[in-house]
Amino acid sequence: MNEAEGNEGLKDFIRDRVQADLAARKYPGVVTRFPPEPNGYLHLGHAKSICLNFGIALENDGICNLRFDDTNPVKEDTEYVDSITEDVKWLIDGWADSVLSEKTFFASDYFEQLYGYAVQLIQDGKAYVCELQPDEWEEYRGVPEKPGKESPGRSRSPEENLALFERMRAGEFADGEKTLRAKIDMASPNLHLRDPVIYRIRHEEHHHAGDQWCLYPMYDFTHCLSDSIEGISHSICTLEFEVHRPLYDWVLDNLPVPQPRPHQHEFSRLNPTYMVMSKRKLLQLVEENHVSGWDDPRMPTIAGYRRRGFTASAIRNFCQGVGVTKYKGLTDVSLLENAIREELNKTAERRCAVLDPLEVVIENYPEGESEELEAVNNPEDEAAGKRSVPFGRRLFIERADFMEDPPKKFFRLGPGREVRLRYAYFITCQSVEKDADGNITRLICTYDPETRGGHAPDGRKVKGTIHWVSAEHAVDAEVRLYDRLFTEPEPEAAGDFLESLNADSMKVVTGKLEPSLAELSPGERVQFERLGYFTPDAEDTAPDKLVFNRIVGLRDSWAKIAKK
């Protein structure tokens, strides 16, 4: 799917609802929002939400707010605010950045207004101060099949509750000593409507609001009112918030908020195979050093994918291809890998690199001499042109491209066998050198100087073509071969997700690269011919140290495993 021109042609039940609302003139325009909590880095599931919210705004000449729903000072941090801001802008750059509001919004900027709304509920007899502790409340709340018991504080007068609430704000009580609850329905089968907490005490400094508050609103109270304050028309959430929607509506129905008020719509969250998407579990991976950080290229975070070398457009194409439904199911991560593979096949220039080098000496090539050969940069793009690659007497080839006793269908190099060196000559292996342990250390070969460019004047054919790098001109690089972080499609299904960590999710080798690769900058992507797509690591590459990340292989190596 090519989404460079926008999302034209996309249809789903949420887009249908947006069009119906516009046709009925329910809202003056479309205003959506992407509202992460800054308690971790964004992951692939957030990318789907970003694409949906910004995409709908883009399709309808609307706007989309980036808002931080920052109501919990204990878990939130400016590090996450900065990373989320960077991720969102990177993901929508050149696609939907025109609909991003100029201002970045914070729910914490509304704390005074939210406090006023809470006071209004207290005055109207629709909220009260409660002393019950969480374990006590479990007993009072009860189960869906039976009505709960009323809190002892439920019968207080509005005046008493208001006085206690003001003392809560003044810091007179300890954390957890008192809460403010909405007075709704203790017999409701939806437990979220059984007098939910809407304010709790936290004597913690806030990353954005500073030390002004020790009284913080709960997410369910804050989210709907933030939507209202910002004039959101369509509040789009994942399905786990469906059961929260009656509370969303209750708050807005019972306060004097501007009309028309927003409506919440839910869709199924993204659940890719071979990943965990829980922020808590991703944080565990980081804190227990199973990965190097939130931006480890094996992590399902947007930062991790960006560092690994994925493009924003490939991630967007993947998210749009998955679609928007209410169906809960697994999404094969190979769809994402195929999205970047398909894009880079068209756009990435080709280069030669050898990752498991075996030395080749061409004994009939003149010693001390070398030449420049012409190589195609991208056979899929004629405009990419050609480049020069050095060729000499000593080369490196992949060790896997030679077998001392090859089977019949092995069409690469072996004793007495002839192969084509890509862009270069035909060579024939004459002998093999080994060390004291019997390991092959060097191949002695000859070349046919009449086959420059890979074609024989006499018309003879060879079945094998292999890549190579001139030993005299090669540059060394650390090459990180990344793979899926887990070995099981559903890491959490069998219990402890850590038990299915893939021990081979990163292999580090020293590669021999053609010299032009030393000039590549982070963000530039190339195909190592016959090996996969690679990019310089944005964090660790330095002028005196080349580090390359494998973005994805040329083929899905997991497809055969999945069939077993």
Side-chain angles (χ1 to χ4, degrees):
M1 180 188 300
N2 183 356
E3 49 76 78
E5 300 301 323
N7 288 8
E8 291 82 354
L10 290 179
K11 287 185 67 66
D12 52 66
F13 73 97
I14 291 182
R15 286 181 165 89
D16 289 344
R17 179 62 184 269
V18 171
Q19 292 308 308
D21 288 344
L22 291 177
R25 298 187 178 180
K26 183 175 181 179
Y27 302 102
V30 171
V31 184
T32 60
R33 82 291 172 271
F34 174 64
E37 181 183 1
N39 62 350
Y41 280 54
L42 298 183
H43 54 59
L44 205 55
H46 296 111
K48 179 179 177 180
S49 181
I50 293 169
C51 289
L52 181 58
N53 280 286
F54 280 89
I56 287 175
L58 181 65
E59 295 155 28
N60 295 283
D61 297 321
I63 60 173
C64 184
N65 293 351
L66 170 59
R67 179 179 78 232
F68 291 97
D69 276 347
D70 52 347
T71 63
N72 187 349
V74 177
K75 295 183 178 181
E76 298 161 355
D77 195 272
T78 54
E79 174 193 352
Y80 301 132
V81 171
D82 293 342
S83 71
I84 289 169
T85 302
E86 182 181 5
D87 288 345
V88 170
K89 291 184 176 180
W90 175 79
L91 190 59
I92 67 173
D93 183 41
W95 169 63
D97 47 3
S98 60
V99 302
L100 175 64
S101 300
E102 292 184 7
K103 175 185 176 182
T104 298
F105 297 83
F106 292 84
S108 55
D109 286 336
Y110 311 139
F111 277 177
E112 192 65 52
Q113 194 168 351
L114 296 175
Y115 180 84
Y117 277 131
V119 168
Q120 181 73 56
L121 288 177
I122 294 172
Q123 292 172 338
D124 292 344
K126 296 176 181 178
Y128 64 93
V129 175
C130 177
E131 289 84 6
L132 293 176
Q133 296 303 297
D135 56 341
E136 296 175 302
W137 179 251
E138 287 297 316
E139 179 185 348
Y140 274 76
R141 184 177 66 171
V143 296
E145 297 79 15
K146 296 181 181 180
K149 297 186 299 183
E150 292 187 359
S151 163
R154 204 173 197 266
S155 59
R156 281 199 192 96
S157 68
E159 293 75 19
E160 290 176 292
N161 283 313
L162 186 57
L164 284 171
F165 192 52
E166 289 173 347
R167 291 174 62 192
M168 289 167 65
R169 177 173 181 171
E172 294 185 26
F173 303 109
D175 286 5
E177 188 175 347
K178 297 184 187 297
T179 59
L180 183 71
R181 292 187 180 276
K183 186 189 292 186
I184 306 180
D185 183 3
M186 288 304 294
S188 173
N190 184 340
L191 295 182
H192 293 282
L193 294 181
R194 293 192 181 181
D195 291 11
V197 172
I198 57 175
Y199 266 89
R200 80 288 208 197
I201 300 169
R202 290 283 186 274
H203 289 273
E204 295 280 348
E205 185 167 336
H206 191 275
H207 73 94
H208 185 68
D211 58 1
Q212 300 178 53
W213 294 86
C214 64
L215 185 65
Y216 291 96
M218 299 297 288
Y219 172 85
D220 279 336
F221 182 70
T222 306
H223 183 76
C224 56
L225 289 170
S226 297
D227 283 349
S228 175
I229 292 166
E230 294 174 15
I232 302 302
S233 59
H234 298 83
S235 180
I236 303 169
C237 307
T238 46
L239 273 178
E240 62 263 34
F241 291 99
E242 186 174 32
V243 72
H244 295 250
R245 190 186 342 134
L247 178 54
Y248 182 103
D249 292 338
W250 184 91
V251 172
L252 296 181
D253 287 342
N254 285 275
L255 286 169
V257 298
Q259 300 296 321
R261 66 171 182 80
H263 184 84
Q264 179 176 300
H265 307 267
E266 305 88 15
F267 67 99
S268 62
R269 64 184 296 175
L270 185 64
N271 189 20
T273 55
Y274 298 96
M275 296 184 193
V276 295
M277 305 298 280
S278 158
K279 281 186 181 178
R280 178 179 60 82
K281 290 176 180 176
L282 294 177
L283 179 61
Q284 183 179 350
L285 289 172
V286 173
E287 291 182 336
E288 295 180 1
N289 297 315
H290 299 292
V291 294
S292 61
W294 285 97
D295 68 342
D296 187 301
R298 296 166 293 177
M299 288 279 275
T301 57
I302 295 176
Y305 278 115
R306 182 169 64 249
R307 182 174 176 183
R308 183 158 169 173
F310 276 68
T311 63
S313 54
I315 294 175
R316 295 195 303 259
N317 284 338
F318 164 72
C319 291
Q320 292 170 6
V322 167
V324 179
T325 69
K326 285 209 170 192
Y327 172 75
K328 297 180 181 179
L330 283 173
T331 297
D332 193 335
V333 71
S334 66
L335 297 175
L336 173 60
E337 294 164 350
N338 287 336
I340 186 65
R341 198 179 280 123
E342 180 180 344
E343 178 178 327
L344 295 182
N345 180 54
K346 298 174 182 177
T347 61
E349 292 193 358
R350 277 48 168 173
R351 295 292 185 269
C352 285
V354 174
L355 304 186
D356 186 12
L358 175 61
E359 185 180 0
V360 170
V361 175
I362 303 176
E363 61 180 354
N364 63 329
Y365 192 90
E367 287 195 53
E369 294 187 16
S370 64
E371 60 186 294
E372 295 290 324
L373 301 177
E374 195 174 69
V376 175
N377 283 330
N378 188 340
E380 303 291 326
D381 180 12
E382 188 174 334
K386 299 180 179 180
R387 71 186 187 284
S388 293
V389 292
F391 181 86
R393 178 183 173 92
R394 291 179 56 248
L395 311 173
F396 290 118
I397 66 169
E398 292 288 349
R399 189 168 293 274
D401 283 336
F402 176 83
M403 290 187 72
E404 192 171 14
D405 185 19
K408 186 176 182 180
K409 291 187 178 181
F410 183 82
F411 298 123
R412 285 164 282 171
L413 198 57
R417 289 196 174 194
E418 187 175 52
V419 298
R420 176 189 292 105
L421 295 180
R422 190 153 171 78
Y423 309 120
Y425 299 95
F426 290 6
I427 64 169
T428 302
C429 178
Q430 304 297 337
S431 61
V432 175
E433 294 184 2
K434 301 180 180 181
D435 61 18
D437 296 323
N439 300 309
I440 297 172
T441 57
R442 181 182 298 165
L443 306 180
I444 307 301
C445 298
T446 56
Y447 85 118
D448 182 349
E450 299 299 319
T451 58
R452 181 183 167 109
H455 302 286
D458 60 7
R460 75 180 186 275
K461 305 291 185 181
V462 293
K463 291 186 177 181
T465 299
I466 63 176
H467 66 281
W468 52 276
V469 172
S470 169
E472 299 298 331
H473 304 87
V475 293
D476 288 346
E478 177 182 311
V479 181
R480 298 169 180 174
L481 303 175
Y482 290 111
D483 206 342
R484 298 176 185 178
L485 188 56
F486 295 95
T487 58
E488 295 296 327
E490 298 181 75
E492 298 167 275
D496 185 358
F497 73 105
L498 295 176
E499 291 181 0
S500 60
L501 278 170
N502 181 7
D504 295 323
S505 61
M506 182 180 75
K507 296 180 180 179
V508 180
V509 299
T510 299
K512 301 291 185 179
L513 280 54
E514 71 169 78
S516 65
L517 286 168
E519 302 169 7
L520 215 63
S521 300
E524 295 184 85
R525 304 164 183 88
V526 295
Q527 182 193 111
F528 286 1
E529 295 209 31
R530 302 175 65 223
L531 299 175
Y533 297 96
F534 293 77
T535 189
D537 184 82
E539 297 296 323
D540 297 335
T541 292
D544 59 343
K545 180 185 179 183
L546 296 179
V547 179
F548 277 80
N549 297 333
R550 181 170 66 186
I551 305 168
V552 68
L554 293 180
R555 299 172 192 83
D556 181 2
S557 61
W558 290 77
K560 292 182 180 180
I561 298 174
K563 292 179 181 179
K564 291 182 179 180

